[in-house]
């Protein structure tokens, strides 16, 4: 009976260790994805700023023309 309980406890501990490893791996993947998302957001902000600048330049360029 005690040997059986010890075996069950050992098996449960191994399973918990495996689950903990999976959780850790998933957290690391989420962290990596978050870093990529931040980098993409920064790139998008830069591109948006460039578009705004080009838009201003276009407005200034077209002010020379009269309809």
């Amino acid at each position: 009976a005690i040997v059986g309980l010890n075996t069950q406890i050992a098996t449960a501990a191994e399973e918990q260790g495996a689950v903990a490893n999976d959780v850790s791996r998933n957290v690391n993947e989420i962290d990596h994805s978050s870093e990529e998302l931040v980098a993409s957001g920064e790139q998008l902000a830069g591109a948006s700023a460039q578009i705004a600048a080009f838009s201003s330049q276009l407005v200034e360029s077209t002010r020379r023309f009269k309809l």
Side-chain angles (χ1 to χ4, degrees):
I2 290 177
V3 173
L5 289 175
N6 285 340
T7 301
Q8 286 178 347
I9 291 169
T11 300
E14 287 179 13
E15 290 173 356
Q16 285 179 342
V19 169
N21 287 337
D22 286 344
V23 169
S24 178
R25 186 171 34 259
N26 289 335
V27 168
N28 286 334
E29 288 178 13
I30 290 169
D31 180 57
H32 180 70
S33 295
S34 297
E35 290 173 358
E36 288 180 345
L37 184 59
V38 167
S40 295
E42 290 171 352
Q43 288 177 344
L44 181 58
S48 295
Q50 285 181 333
I51 290 172
F54 292 147
S55 176
S56 294
Q57 290 173 358
L58 182 59
V59 168
E60 288 302 315
S61 296
T62 57
R63 283 188 180 168
R64 295 183 230 158
F65 300 102
K66 294 183 180 181
L67 297 178

